[in-house]
Amino acid sequence: MKKLIIFASLGLSAFAFSQEVKNSPDKGKQKTALIVPTEQKELEAKKKAAEEKAKLPKPYDPKADAEADINKLVAQANKEGKNVMIQAGGNWCIWCLRFNNYVQTTPELKEIVDKNYVYYHLNFSPDNKNEKVFAKYGNPGEKFGYPVFIILDKDGKMIKVQQSDVLEEGKGYSKEKVKEFFTTWAPKKG
């Protein structure tokens, strides 16, 4: 008899609960309508980013011998009285590609870079993580994400590591902040 009463109570509870849901203001409909547009927006944003990424130049070379390349650039920088600007990241990174494109297509920034730096795109990807080179500079990508900038003086001494998020503005980069960064770390002309 006790089992029958417990079973009946459970049945009535379930029935009462189902009635409450049906009589609620949303008439028993689950609130998934808000989730669908959010998922749709995320899909659209990913699609738009993929389209943008496809159009941008891909400056990172996973097959490059980064250590040898940087050594050559240090020698070049020494001869030319410039610093070495290492932009670490990969062709998979939309912000890395955006930064590269922004600098290359903004005449004022490109002029500052060309005058003061030899520039290198240090690849970090599953194909080539360049672990030895990154370790030499304290693995800044692990700390700051990508892109991350490593500046060497004309003798190859690391003088600055710069995270990129402080240079961002909206879905791109701030011209004034990037200009200030490049100007601040340019070699001092005597």
Side-chain angles (χ1 to χ4, degrees), residues 131 133-144:
E131 293 167 310
V133 176
F134 276 99
K136 184 177 179 179
Y137 302 119
N139 293 309
E142 290 177 11
K143 296 174 190 164
F144 303 119

Side-chain angles (χ1 to χ4, degrees), residues 9-40:
S9 294
L10 286 172
L12 282 173
S13 296
F15 178 74
F17 178 75
S18 70
Q19 292 303 308
E20 284 180 38
V21 171
K22 288 180 183 171
N23 293 330
S24 68
D26 66 3
K27 297 182 175 46
K29 295 179 184 169
Q30 291 187 7
K31 296 181 181 178
T32 56
L34 295 176
I35 295 172
V36 173
T38 302
E39 289 175 357
Q40 185 66 31

Side-chain angles (χ1 to χ4, degrees), residues 95-165:
W95 284 96
C96 300
L97 301 180
R98 283 177 180 160
F99 190 85
N100 175 68
N101 190 61
Y102 184 61
V103 171
Q104 294 301 313
T105 60
T106 306
E108 188 176 358
L109 297 177
K110 184 163 176 32
E111 182 181 331
I112 294 169
V113 168
D114 291 347
K115 180 180 175 186
N116 296 291
Y117 299 95
V118 289
Y119 211 96
Y120 187 71
H121 291 90
L122 175 58
N123 183 74
F124 178 83
S125 69
D127 297 333
N128 186 352
K129 295 181 181 180
N130 280 305
E131 293 167 310
K132 186 177 175 184
V133 176
F134 276 99
K136 184 177 179 179
Y137 302 119
N139 293 309
E142 290 177 11
K143 296 174 190 164
F144 303 119
Y146 297 96
V148 65
F149 307 98
I150 305 161
I151 302 175
L152 311 178
D153 68 11
K154 65 183 177 69
D155 299 315
K157 179 183 167 213
M158 185 172 69
I159 57 173
K160 176 70 175 170
V161 172
Q162 176 68 54
Q163 63 198 64
S164 63
D165 62 343

Side-chain angles (χ1 to χ4, degrees), residues 56-75:
L56 293 171
K58 310 296 185 285
Y60 296 91
D61 182 1
K63 294 180 179 98
D65 182 343
E67 190 169 23
D69 290 348
I70 292 170
N71 287 338
K72 287 176 191 171
L73 289 175
V74 168

